[in-house]
Amino acid sequence: MNQQEVARAVRRRQFLLQTAGLAGATAAFGLTGCETRKDVKLDLLVASYDKSVGASIGDQWDKVVSAFEKQHAGIRINLERVPYDKIDRTLARRVEEGRAPDIAQSNIFAPYAEDGRLHDMTELFDIVTQADFIRSFTEAGTVDSATYGIPFLASTPRLFYNKELFRRARIDGAPTSWDELQKAARALKSIGVKTPYGLQFGPEAADDEALSWLLAAGGGYMGDTAQYDFATAANTEALTWLRDEFVGEGLAGAAPAELNRTDAYAQFLGGEIGMLIAHPVLMGAADQAKVPYAHAPFPKKDGGAAVPLGLSDWLMAFRRGGHREECGTFLSFLYSGKSAMTYGGSQSALPVTYSASDAATGKPAEQPLSAFVEQLSDAQFAPVNMRSWPAVRETIRAGVGRAVMKGGDPGTVLAALDKSAAEAEAEAAAS
């Protein structure tokens, strides 16, 4: 077997062991053979996307809903789309007004879980389905030992680079350490590339970019006690290196603290950025723009592949409507077989189950996704399961860029993040 086949076999064995050990408990959850009521309407609130992100994701909801309703005549789905940048606020307002949907997509689930508003996975799926979800993602969706955030539209980024620019700069392959990353960036700068590396520290996604670098240096956002811990030696050293060895040399463009992900992708497609951290959605856009690209694991500081960052939207099922069985029926359909491959395993998003991941890497049409899918099990997340995370995330986005600009003080910025995180935690505990 090659390395990919071995990894797939290991995942399959883990899946079978989990299901074999737990399948006998299925009946205890009341999910086997339960009868759903007839003529029930489920309100489903989802995000819509512009074409730069992948409009096909939104279009696929119609296919899934239509297929589901054909098989479940007694359940109707009231599908409502909200622009992605408004989905979190819209859901929060609906919940506050007592109009929570039955099922919703959002970036935020922890506050609703802590308030007792959500069904956990054991109330929605049978044991076999629960065990099929990739463990790193279900762990990220867990609050107080129960999984309430159901992973959806997963992603894990890699280092993309322009092969033609690399050829012209005489760079031999993808960088495998930060020293090599710096050398490659210098070579790109020497041939006139405007932004050798697209450091996305603008307010759109600075928290993701920063965490990728911190993980690669052995740091992160959390300490060993599951509490925020920003001002560590590893984090300080990583941001100091970025300030002095990368941004200070003009290797990350003129204003990395203002560079948003959307703009960075557009500049990469236009040949203005030589390399950047990006998600699989960039592949389709690059293919269409005929940009010669390749991708590789983001490198650890001292060499090798860094711990990959995990990202996901989340689905959640609200208790308010009293439709637990029907919600479970719809969600089980969504995460089974062909339905799972409809919204996962495309160049817009990755699958979140072991079975769909195996299908995605095994189909010739989906081979470009294999490297991304193989990273999923090792993915590490920001603390999305903490009630305070949305507030802490906004603070990171607003301030982390200052640490790497000329005159920036990484230690001071990180200490300020610790202070803000402690205040957010106190406020969350009081709410």
Side-chain angles (χ1 to χ4, degrees):
M1 291 187 186
N2 60 33
Q3 186 174 1
Q4 180 176 315
E5 290 171 333
V6 170
R8 190 177 302 156
V10 169
R11 289 201 308 271
R12 176 60 60 190
R13 177 173 173 78
Q14 290 173 336
F15 167 63
L16 292 173
L17 287 174
Q18 286 177 293
T19 55
L22 296 173
T26 303
F29 294 107
L31 294 173
T32 302
C34 62
E35 294 293 331
T36 56
R37 290 163 288 179
K38 295 186 180 298
D39 301 322
V40 169
K41 182 180 74 173
L42 293 181
D43 290 327
L44 174 60
L45 181 70
V46 301
S48 62
Y49 302 84
D50 62 31
K51 292 183 179 180
S52 67
V53 177
S56 61
I57 297 174
D59 297 340
Q60 289 165 358
W61 274 117
D62 292 326
K63 298 176 184 178
V64 171
V65 168
S66 176
F68 174 79
E69 290 182 340
K70 285 180 182 178
Q71 294 185 28
H72 302 84
I75 306 175
R76 286 288 168 266
I77 306 297
N78 177 33
L79 177 65
E80 181 182 358
R81 294 182 174 89
V82 173
Y84 181 77
D85 60 355
K86 297 180 180 178
I87 189 72
D88 295 338
R89 294 192 300 273
T90 299
L91 178 60
R93 185 177 67 253
R94 298 278 177 87
V95 172
E96 183 68 23
E97 294 171 351
R99 298 189 298 119
D102 294 288
I103 299 171
Q105 176 186 351
S106 181
N107 294 293
I108 299 167
F109 61 88
Y112 308 122
E114 290 187 0
D115 291 344
R117 298 180 184 274
L118 303 179
H119 293 291
D120 69 57
M121 266 195 178
T122 64
E123 299 175 292
L124 300 167
F125 300 105
D126 62 34
I127 293 296
V128 172
T129 304
Q130 291 175 54
D132 195 26
F133 281 96
I134 295 173
R135 184 175 297 178
S136 60
F137 281 76
T138 54
E139 287 177 350
T142 297
V143 177
D144 294 333
S145 301
T147 302
Y148 298 94
I150 306 167
F152 181 71
L153 302 181
S155 187
T156 180
R158 288 168 66 82
L159 179 69
F160 279 67
Y161 58 96
N162 184 311
K163 292 196 296 184
E164 173 58 20
L165 293 179
F166 266 44
R167 184 193 67 79
R168 287 168 48 198
R170 299 183 179 181
I171 304 168
D172 186 19
T176 60
S177 68
W178 287 14
D179 283 344
E180 290 185 9
L181 198 66
Q182 183 190 50
K183 290 177 182 177
R186 286 171 174 168
L188 290 168
K189 184 180 180 181
S190 73
I191 64 168
V193 176
K194 182 179 178 181
T195 304
Y197 178 88
L199 186 65
Q200 301 153 60
F201 270 13
E204 182 182 335
D207 53 310
D208 296 337
E209 177 86 20
L211 185 52
S212 291
W213 284 90
L214 299 185
L215 290 173
Y221 291 158
M222 305 295 289
D224 295 335
T225 59
Q227 297 295 319
Y228 294 107
D229 194 4
F230 290 97
T232 64
N235 290 348
T236 303
E237 290 172 6
L239 295 182
T240 300
W241 188 93
L242 272 173
R243 181 195 65 190
D244 297 341
E245 307 296 332
F246 225 57
V247 177
E249 288 197 20
L251 303 179
E258 300 173 11
L259 182 62
N260 284 323
R261 177 183 292 161
T262 303
D263 296 330
Y265 285 13
Q267 291 175 33
F268 180 82
L269 297 176
E272 298 177 15
I273 287 178
M275 51 184 170
L276 77 172
I277 294 176
H279 294 273
V281 68
L282 185 59
M283 290 194 297
D287 290 338
Q288 188 172 9
K290 301 189 183 324
V291 175
Y293 70 93
H295 53 78
F298 190 71
K300 285 197 295 188
K301 187 175 187 294
D302 297 324
V307 175
L309 173 67
L311 294 174
S312 181
D313 284 7
W314 308 93
L315 293 179
M316 61 204 83
F318 284 84
R319 294 181 178 277
R320 179 182 173 276
H323 297 145
R324 178 183 70 86
E325 292 90 347
E326 291 81 7
C327 286
T329 299
F330 176 75
L331 289 169
S332 295
F333 176 86
L334 182 67
Y335 286 96
S336 65
K338 292 182 180 180
S339 296
M341 288 305 297
T342 297
Y343 67 83
S346 72
Q347 287 188 353
S348 296
L350 302 176
V352 295
T353 61
Y354 292 113
S355 55
S357 295
D358 287 349
T361 55
K363 292 173 60 179
E366 304 296 349
Q367 284 299 328
L369 280 178
S370 295
F372 293 90
V373 171
E374 293 300 327
Q375 293 185 161
L376 290 173
S377 293
D378 296 324
Q380 188 163 325
F381 286 77
V384 293
N385 56 357
M386 296 179 68
R387 190 184 193 104
S388 59
W389 171 243
V392 174
R393 179 186 63 189
E394 292 309 308
T395 304
I396 296 170
R397 289 178 174 179
V400 73
R402 293 196 299 269
V404 301
M405 300 307 292
K406 183 178 180 180
D409 186 338
T412 299
V413 169
L414 291 169
L417 287 175
D418 273 329
K419 184 173 183 287
S420 296
E423 292 170 354
E425 277 282 88
E427 184 175 340
S431 63

